[in-house]
Coordinates of all heavy atoms in Angstrom, one line a residue:
A108 N 131.2 96.0 100.9 CA 131.5 94.8 101.6 C 132.9 94.9 102.2 O 133.8 95.4 101.5 CB 131.5 93.5 100.8
S109 N 133.0 94.4 103.4 CA 134.5 94.5 104.0 C 135.3 93.1 103.7 O 134.5 92.3 103.2 CB 134.5 94.7 105.5 OG 133.8 93.4 106.0
G110 N 136.5 93.2 103.8 CA 137.3 92.0 103.7 C 137.9 91.8 102.3 O 137.3 92.5 101.3
R111 N 138.8 90.9 102.1 CA 139.5 90.8 100.9 C 139.0 89.6 100.0 O 139.6 89.3 99.0 CB 141.0 90.5 101.1 CG 141.7 91.8 101.6 CD 143.0 91.6 102.0 NE 143.2 90.7 103.2 CZ 144.5 90.3 103.7 NH1 145.5 90.8 103.1 NH2 144.4 89.6 104.7
T112 N 137.9 88.9 100.4 CA 137.3 87.8 99.7 C 136.0 88.1 99.1 O 135.1 87.1 98.9 CB 137.3 86.5 100.6 OG1 136.4 86.8 101.7 CG2 138.6 86.2 101.1
F113 N 135.7 89.3 98.8 CA 134.3 89.7 98.3 C 134.0 88.8 97.0 O 132.8 88.4 97.0 CB 134.4 91.2 97.9 CG 133.2 91.7 97.2 CD1 132.0 91.8 97.9 CD2 133.1 92.0 95.9 CE1 130.9 92.3 97.1 CE2 132.1 92.5 95.1 CZ 130.9 92.6 95.9
S114 N 134.9 88.6 96.1 CA 134.7 87.9 95.0 C 134.2 86.4 95.2 O 133.8 85.7 94.3 CB 135.8 87.8 94.0 OG 137.0 87.3 94.6
S115 N 134.4 85.9 96.4 CA 134.0 84.6 96.7 C 132.6 84.4 97.3 O 132.1 83.2 97.6 CB 135.0 84.0 97.9 OG 134.9 84.6 99.1
Y116 N 131.9 85.5 97.3 CA 130.5 85.5 97.9 C 129.5 85.7 96.8 O 129.6 86.5 95.9 CB 130.3 86.7 98.9 CG 131.1 86.4 100.2 CD1 132.5 86.9 100.3 CD2 130.5 85.7 101.3 CE1 133.2 86.7 101.5 CE2 131.2 85.5 102.4 CZ 132.5 86.0 102.6 OH 133.1 85.8 103.7
V117 N 128.4 84.8 96.9 CA 127.1 85.2 96.1 C 126.6 86.3 96.9 O 126.4 86.3 98.1 CB 126.2 84.0 96.2 CG1 124.9 84.3 95.5 CG2 126.9 82.8 95.4
M118 N 126.1 87.3 96.2 CA 125.4 88.5 96.7 C 124.0 88.6 96.3 O 123.6 88.2 95.2 CB 126.2 89.7 96.3 CG 127.7 89.7 96.6 SD 128.0 89.7 98.3 CE 127.3 91.3 99.0
G119 N 123.2 89.0 97.2 CA 121.7 89.2 96.9 C 121.1 90.4 97.6 O 121.8 91.0 98.4
W120 N 120.1 90.9 97.0 CA 119.2 91.9 97.5 C 117.9 91.4 97.8 O 117.2 90.7 97.0 CB 119.0 93.1 96.5 CG 120.2 93.9 96.3 CD1 121.2 93.9 95.4 CD2 120.7 95.1 97.1 NE1 122.2 94.8 95.5 CE2 121.9 95.6 96.6 CE3 120.2 95.6 98.3 CZ2 122.6 96.6 97.2 CZ3 120.8 96.7 98.9 CH2 122.0 97.2 98.3
F121 N 117.4 91.6 99.0 CA 116.1 91.3 99.5 C 115.4 92.5 100.0 O 116.1 93.6 100.2 CB 116.3 90.3 100.7 CG 116.7 88.9 100.4 CD1 118.0 88.7 100.0 CD2 115.9 87.9 100.2 CE1 118.5 87.5 99.7 CE2 116.3 86.6 99.9 CZ 117.7 86.3 99.6
R122 N 114.1 92.5 100.2 CA 113.4 93.7 100.6 C 112.2 93.2 101.5 O 111.7 92.1 101.4 CB 112.8 94.4 99.4 CG 111.9 93.8 98.6 CD 111.5 94.5 97.4 NE 110.4 94.1 96.5 CZ 109.9 94.6 95.4 NH1 110.3 95.7 95.0 NH2 108.8 94.0 94.8
Q123 N 111.9 94.1 102.4 CA 110.8 93.9 103.3 C 109.8 95.1 103.5 O 110.3 96.2 103.8 CB 111.2 93.5 104.7 CG 110.2 93.0 105.7 CD 110.7 92.3 106.8 OE1 111.9 92.4 107.3 NE2 109.8 91.4 107.5
A124 N 108.6 94.9 103.0 CA 107.7 96.0 103.1 C 107.0 95.9 104.5 O 106.9 94.9 105.0 CB 106.7 95.9 101.9
P125 N 106.4 97.1 104.9 CA 105.6 97.0 106.2 C 104.6 96.0 106.3 O 103.7 96.0 105.4 CB 105.2 98.4 106.3 CG 106.0 99.3 105.4 CD 106.4 98.4 104.3
G126 N 104.6 95.2 107.3 CA 103.5 94.2 107.5 C 103.7 93.0 106.5 O 102.8 92.1 106.6
K127 N 104.9 92.9 105.8 CA 105.0 91.7 104.9 C 106.3 91.0 105.2 O 107.1 91.5 105.9 CB 105.1 92.2 103.5 CG 103.7 92.8 103.0 CD 103.8 93.1 101.5 CE 102.4 93.7 101.0 NZ 102.5 93.9 99.6
E128 N 106.4 89.8 104.7 CA 107.6 89.1 105.0 C 108.6 89.5 104.0 O 108.4 90.1 102.9 CB 107.2 87.6 104.7 CG 106.4 86.9 105.7 CD 106.2 85.4 105.6 OE1 106.8 84.9 104.7 OE2 105.7 84.8 106.5
R129 N 109.9 89.2 104.4 CA 111.0 89.5 103.5 C 110.9 88.8 102.3 O 110.6 87.6 102.3 CB 112.3 89.2 104.2 CG 113.6 89.6 103.5 CD 114.8 89.1 104.3 NE 114.8 87.8 104.7 CZ 115.5 87.2 105.5 NH1 116.3 87.9 106.4 NH2 115.5 85.9 105.8
E130 N 111.2 89.4 101.1 CA 111.2 88.7 99.9 C 112.5 89.0 99.0 O 113.1 90.0 99.2 CB 110.0 89.1 99.0 CG 110.1 90.5 98.6 CD 108.9 90.9 97.7 OE1 107.9 90.1 97.5 OE2 108.9 92.0 97.2
F131 N 112.8 88.0 98.2 CA 113.8 88.1 97.3 C 113.7 89.0 96.2 O 112.5 89.2 95.7 CB 114.2 86.7 96.7 CG 115.1 86.7 95.5 CD1 116.5 86.8 95.8 CD2 114.8 86.6 94.2 CE1 117.4 86.7 94.8 CE2 115.5 86.4 93.2 CZ 117.0 86.6 93.5
A132 N 114.7 89.9 95.8 CA 114.7 90.7 94.8 C 115.6 90.4 93.6 O 115.2 90.2 92.4 CB 114.9 92.2 95.2
A133 N 116.9 90.2 94.0 CA 117.9 89.9 92.9 C 119.1 89.2 93.5 O 119.3 89.4 94.6 CB 118.2 91.1 92.1
S134 N 119.8 88.6 92.8 CA 121.1 88.0 93.2 C 122.1 87.9 92.0 O 121.8 88.0 90.8 CB 120.9 86.6 93.8 OG 120.5 85.6 92.8
I135 N 123.3 87.7 92.3 CA 124.5 87.7 91.4 C 125.4 86.6 91.8 O 125.8 86.7 92.9 CB 125.0 89.1 91.2 CG1 126.0 89.1 90.0 CG2 125.6 89.6 92.4 CD1 126.3 90.5 89.5

């Protein structure tokens, strides 16, 4: 991540398989 305020963001990982909708995987 760019910027100096990284610690102020909630971060997440999502994924999208072929032919499927994007789905949540994990967050912190």
Side-chain angles (χ1 to χ4, degrees):
S109 65
R111 292 177 288 181
T112 59
F113 173 71
S114 60
S115 66
Y116 290 90
V117 173
M118 302 299 296
W120 285 97
F121 290 76
R122 64 186 186 181
Q123 187 167 20
K127 295 187 177 181
E128 294 187 354
R129 181 181 62 194
E130 65 175 10
F131 169 75
S134 64
I135 186 167

